[in-house]
Amino acid sequence: MSVRKLLALSVALCCTVLLRAQDDLAKTPPMGWNSWNHFAERIDDKTVRETADALASTGLKDAGYVYLNIDDTWEGQRDASGVIHANEKFPDMKALADYVHSKGLKLGIYSSPGSKTCAGFEGSLGHEVQDAQTYAQWGIDYLKYDWCQQPPLNVEEMKIAYTKMHDALKKTGRPIVLSLCQYGWNKVWAWGPQVGGNLWRTTGDISDRYSMMAEIGFNQNGLEKFAGPGHWNDPDMLEVGNGGMNEDEYRTHFSLWAMLAAPLIAGNDLNKMTPYTVEILTNREVIAVDQDPAGRQGFRIAQEGPFEVWMKPMADGSKVVGLFNRQRTVEQIAVSFSQIGISGQASVHDLWLKKDLGDFKDRYSAYVPAHGVVLVRIKPK
Ligand code: GLA
């Protein structure tokens, strides 16, 4: 083979690898932690290191939470060449990334397509390629790219802005998950994958209240056809453990996000967790629902007032069913097997009790606590 042909071949091979680098990411919904919901602007190097330690020591890392994502307020100034630097809260981002990586975790960061971020810090407008290079040099593995202070543009301009960052990330050759954040405007789910998004926010910001969480979560119904391996709907980060909801409400939150194949990005202080917060966040059976390789997003199959039945089809042919009670008092809720495509006998396993409940014929019903859920995996016989 001539030298020229060999060169052409290696360029082609290298480009294929580069192309794949971004597009093979997030085969299952990303799992990790993000600073915003609990720490907001109080995030700094020390807290990130402590969170890395906690991810490893609490069992969260082993349960799948690997991305440790710094949200807004890390940004400092650009130097004379336009290179972005972190502010005084993050004295050495590369050293921080090395520390996070040494724990077997990955580091995420945040920026905006506009000139300013939501919190008024430096955005990436006009510096996309440069910023992507900087992130890659630091060892960043995930970017949340938040629209915010860019004036509302038409959808085509929005697509261009996101594609620009996707291409810049791809050019670095480092696999970096791209998380779009523009609150579901312009039906982002329909074009998110085209612009290189591995996930995209479908809503405004969540807060640590049952009413807000429920409004966001239950409103995701209908978006299921847009999610799949490598590209996910993102109803925002978790509030589990932040204190504004009771145990049943947090179980509903976590169950619903798992049914939705949503990214599971914890948003609480991992160094101050009650046993039930750890138990919820590390329930492997519920996490397995979220992380199922088929990547199918669940959807509502029945509703009667405040009582909802949701179903998520799993790769092994079983169906996960959530019986949700949005009312303030306990109620019995049922699913008939015909609603989930099963006829006759099926075995039922409770994912919160972690217990086989036995075989049932035609239907299963249970008492569901106020604002709570009963989550079961049903297998045809
Ligand atoms: C927006 C996003 C939040 C968070 C803040 C940071 O509100 O939706 O998730 O990133 O900006 O300023």
Side-chain angles (χ1 to χ4, degrees):
M1 197 185 288
S2 74
V3 174
R4 187 183 274 182
K5 268 192 181 160
L6 205 68
L7 214 78
L9 189 70
S10 40
V11 167
L13 269 174
C14 149
C15 293
T16 320
V17 171
L18 283 187
L19 263 178
R20 288 224 193 101
Q22 300 304 320
D23 304 335
D24 263 4
L25 291 170
K27 285 290 173 216
T28 59
M31 288 180 67
W33 179 90
N34 173 292
S35 56
W36 188 255
N37 283 356
H38 184 82
F39 291 98
E41 73 286 351
R42 287 172 287 113
I43 189 65
D44 57 11
D45 179 280
K46 181 170 173 279
T47 310
V48 171
R49 285 170 194 260
E50 285 169 1
T51 302
D53 297 347
L55 278 165
S57 66
T58 55
L60 261 76
K61 182 188 102 177
D62 290 344
Y65 297 83
V66 292
Y67 289 99
L68 198 174
N69 297 343
I70 303 169
D71 207 277
D72 205 352
T73 79
W74 64 268
E75 309 87 341
Q77 302 301 315
R78 294 188 182 278
D79 62 22
S81 340
V83 174
I84 185 87
H85 293 270
N87 59 35
E88 63 287 352
K89 296 192 295 168
F90 292 92
D92 188 341
M93 203 57 105
K94 169 91 179 71
L96 181 58
D98 289 346
Y99 184 79
V100 168
H101 291 151
S102 77
K103 297 267 162 184
L105 300 163
K106 294 173 187 286
L107 188 64
I109 210 160
Y110 167 102
S111 191
S112 294
S115 58
K116 293 285 174 216
T117 67
C118 292
F121 289 73
E122 189 69 23
S124 291
L125 184 66
H127 294 276
E128 293 82 358
V129 171
Q130 216 171 15
D131 285 359
Q133 300 284 345
T134 304
Y135 303 153
Q137 279 159 20
W138 284 342
I140 296 294
D141 307 292
Y142 185 115
L143 173 68
K144 174 171 165 185
Y145 207 40
D146 190 359
W147 194 260
C148 231
Q149 299 201 11
Q150 181 81 318
L153 301 177
N154 68 46
V155 62
E156 291 313 318
E157 284 173 287
M158 207 175 239
K159 288 183 194 171
I160 290 168
Y162 278 114
T163 304
K164 203 183 263 179
M165 185 47 94
H166 168 258
D167 293 350
L169 292 174
K170 196 162 81 177
K171 218 171 133 198
T172 68
R174 185 174 176 86
I176 301 178
V177 170
L178 178 58
S179 154
L180 312 187
C181 180
Q182 46 79 285
Y183 335 108
W185 290 340
N186 302 109
K187 298 188 179 165
V188 61
W189 40 85
W191 51 266
Q194 282 164 36
V195 302
N198 295 114
L199 59 156
W200 46 83
R201 279 270 295 277
T202 55
T203 75
D205 289 13
I206 196 168
S207 69
D208 189 20
R209 282 181 297 125
Y210 175 80
S211 56
M212 174 58 91
M213 178 282 293
E215 187 187 319
I216 289 179
F218 291 110
N219 271 342
Q220 301 300 302
N221 188 50
L223 298 185
E224 58 276 3
K225 53 182 167 298
F226 301 102
H231 51 97
W232 308 101
N233 290 308
D234 172 12
D236 208 357
M237 302 162 305
L238 298 169
E239 292 283 7
V240 175
N242 277 331
M245 297 182 229
N246 67 30
E247 284 184 42
D248 283 318
E249 293 170 337
Y250 280 139
R251 257 183 226 116
T252 294
H253 183 13
F254 200 70
S255 304
L256 192 49
W257 263 235
M259 294 290 284
L260 292 170
L264 296 180
I265 308 290
N268 57 316
D269 183 350
L270 301 186
N271 280 294
K272 289 190 187 127
M273 291 196 282
T274 60
Y276 85 76
T277 297
V278 179
E279 195 234 303
I280 291 176
L281 289 175
T282 60
N283 182 323
R284 305 275 180 134
E285 298 189 8
V286 180
I287 291 172
V289 175
D290 182 78
Q291 296 288 305
D292 185 59
R296 306 230 359 228
Q297 179 173 326
F299 46 90
R300 181 160 49 225
I301 53 170
Q303 179 174 20
E304 200 184 315
F307 314 117
E308 303 202 10
V309 182
W310 286 59
M311 194 260 281
K312 184 182 198 285
M314 302 288 280
D316 68 353
S318 67
K319 309 286 164 71
V320 174
V321 169
L323 306 174
F324 291 98
N325 176 4
R326 299 179 66 177
Q327 162 183 279
R328 285 170 184 279
T329 49
V330 63
E331 188 56 70
Q332 191 172 24
I333 307 180
V335 55
S336 18
F337 293 168
S338 62
Q339 290 174 304
I340 56 171
I342 293 179
S343 57
Q345 287 252 322
S347 65
V348 178
H349 179 85
D350 188 304
L351 301 179
W352 285 111
L353 297 177
K354 300 177 185 165
K355 192 175 151 198
D356 287 331
L357 302 178
D359 293 345
F360 290 78
K361 194 172 177 308
D362 297 333
R363 70 198 288 278
Y364 173 74
S365 78
Y367 283 95
V368 185
H371 286 181
V373 61
V374 167
L375 194 67
V376 290
R377 191 159 173 166
I378 304 183
K379 271 197 189 136
K381 282 274 166 187

Coordinates of all heavy atoms in Angstrom, one line a residue, residues 36 71-72 110 118-119 144 146 181 183 201 205 237, ligand 1:
W36 N -26.4 21.7 41.5 CA -27.3 22.8 41.5 C -28.4 22.7 42.5 O -28.7 23.6 43.3 CB -27.9 23.1 40.1 CG -28.7 24.4 40.1 CD1 -30.1 24.5 40.1 CD2 -28.2 25.7 40.2 NE1 -30.4 25.8 40.2 CE2 -29.3 26.6 40.2 CE3 -26.9 26.2 40.2 CZ2 -29.1 28.0 40.3 CZ3 -26.7 27.6 40.3 CH2 -27.8 28.4 40.3
D71 N -22.4 22.4 38.2 CA -23.3 23.2 37.5 C -22.8 24.7 37.5 O -21.6 24.9 37.7 CB -24.7 23.1 38.2 CG -25.9 23.4 37.2 OD1 -26.2 24.6 37.0 OD2 -26.5 22.4 36.7
D72 N -23.7 25.6 37.3 CA -23.3 27.0 37.1 C -22.5 27.6 38.3 O -22.7 27.1 39.4 CB -24.6 27.8 36.9 CG -24.4 29.1 36.1 OD1 -23.2 29.5 35.9 OD2 -25.4 29.8 35.8
Y110 N -20.6 22.8 33.1 CA -21.8 23.6 32.7 C -21.4 24.8 31.9 O -20.4 25.5 32.3 CB -22.6 24.0 34.0 CG -23.7 25.0 33.8 CD1 -25.0 24.6 33.7 CD2 -23.4 26.3 33.7 CE1 -26.0 25.5 33.6 CE2 -24.4 27.3 33.5 CZ -25.7 26.9 33.5 OH -26.7 27.8 33.4
C118 N -27.1 31.3 33.2 CA -28.3 31.7 33.9 C -27.9 32.5 35.1 O -28.6 33.5 35.5 CB -29.1 30.5 34.3 SG -29.8 29.7 32.9
A119 N -26.8 32.2 35.8 CA -26.4 32.9 37.0 C -25.5 34.1 36.7 O -25.0 34.7 37.6 CB -25.7 32.0 38.0
K144 N -23.3 20.2 30.4 CA -24.7 20.7 30.4 C -24.7 22.1 29.8 O -24.0 23.0 30.3 CB -25.2 20.8 31.9 CG -26.6 21.4 32.0 CD -27.1 21.2 33.4 CE -28.3 22.1 33.8 NZ -28.7 22.0 35.2
D146 N -26.7 25.2 28.8 CA -27.9 25.7 29.2 C -28.2 27.1 28.5 O -27.5 28.0 28.6 CB -27.8 26.0 30.7 CG -29.1 26.3 31.4 OD1 -30.1 26.4 30.7 OD2 -29.1 26.5 32.7
C181 N -30.0 22.0 27.6 CA -30.9 22.5 28.6 C -31.6 23.8 28.0 O -30.9 24.8 27.9 CB -30.2 22.8 29.9 SG -31.2 23.5 31.2
Y183 N -35.3 23.9 28.5 CA -36.6 23.8 29.1 C -37.7 23.3 28.2 O -38.9 23.6 28.5 CB -37.0 25.2 29.7 CG -35.7 26.0 30.0 CD1 -35.4 27.1 29.3 CD2 -34.8 25.6 31.0 CE1 -34.2 27.8 29.5 CE2 -33.6 26.2 31.2 CZ -33.3 27.4 30.5 OH -32.2 28.0 30.7
R201 N -33.4 18.7 28.4 CA -34.5 19.0 29.4 C -35.8 19.2 28.7 O -35.8 19.8 27.6 CB -34.0 20.3 30.1 CG -33.0 20.0 31.3 CD -33.8 19.7 32.6 NE -34.5 20.9 33.0 CZ -34.0 22.0 33.6 NH1 -32.7 21.9 34.0 NH2 -34.7 23.0 33.9
D205 N -37.4 24.4 35.6 CA -36.7 23.8 36.7 C -37.6 23.1 37.7 O -38.7 23.6 38.1 CB -36.0 25.0 37.5 CG -34.8 25.5 36.7 OD1 -34.7 25.2 35.5 OD2 -34.0 26.2 37.3
M237 N -33.2 17.2 37.3 CA -32.4 16.4 38.2 C -33.3 16.0 39.5 O -34.3 16.6 39.7 CB -31.2 17.2 38.6 CG -30.4 17.5 37.4 SD -29.2 18.9 37.6 CE -30.0 20.2 38.2
Ligands
GLA1 C1 -31.1 27.0 34.9 C2 -31.2 25.5 34.8 C3 -30.8 24.9 36.2 C4 -29.5 25.4 36.6 C5 -29.4 26.9 36.6 C6 -28.0 27.5 36.9 O1 -32.1 27.5 35.7 O2 -32.4 25.0 34.4 O3 -30.9 23.5 36.2 O4 -28.5 24.9 35.8 O5 -29.9 27.5 35.4 O6 -27.9 28.9 36.8

